[in-house]
Amino acid sequence: MRRFEPGDWVRVDIPDTEDPDFDQFHGRHGEVVDVLEDDAGQETGDERDAHLFTVEFEDGSTHGFRWRDLRPAPEG
C-alpha cells in the first residue's frame, strides 16, 4: 500500500541528522509528483519500501524519498 499519491502535499521529516539529505531537505514542503516502484521492499522485507516518492519543491527542484522521510502537510 502506498502512503502518498501524486498531488499530496508533504513535509520532509528526516530523523537522522547524519543523513546526507538532512541539511538540504529536512523541514521543506512540497508536492508528490510521481511514485516509482522498485524492489527495495523485497530487500528490506517491508513492502512500503517498494515506493519512491518524487517530491517537487516550490523552486521547481525534485528529489526522491522513501515513506519514512515524509509526513502529510497542510496544503501550501
Side-chain angles (χ1 to χ4, degrees):
M1 180 170 98
R2 296 194 314 207
R3 183 170 182 184
F4 301 104
E5 298 292 333
D8 288 347
W9 193 252
V10 295
R11 177 177 50 89
V12 179
D13 184 16
I14 301 172
D16 181 3
T17 59
E18 298 298 315
D19 185 305
D21 290 334
F22 182 88
D23 288 335
Q24 184 176 3
F25 296 110
H26 181 76
R28 292 181 70 183
H29 292 82
E31 180 182 350
V32 175
V33 294
D34 197 13
V35 181
L36 306 173
E37 293 188 29
D38 60 19
D39 63 355
Q42 293 174 343
E43 298 293 322
T44 65
D46 187 336
E47 70 180 52
R48 296 174 294 180
D49 290 330
H51 301 103
L52 184 66
F53 301 94
T54 304
V55 176
E56 182 175 352
F57 300 102
E58 289 183 4
D59 65 2
S61 66
T62 61
H63 191 76
F65 298 94
R66 298 292 172 178
W67 67 273
R68 67 180 44 85
D69 292 331
L70 298 175
R71 302 288 178 266
E75 297 248 350

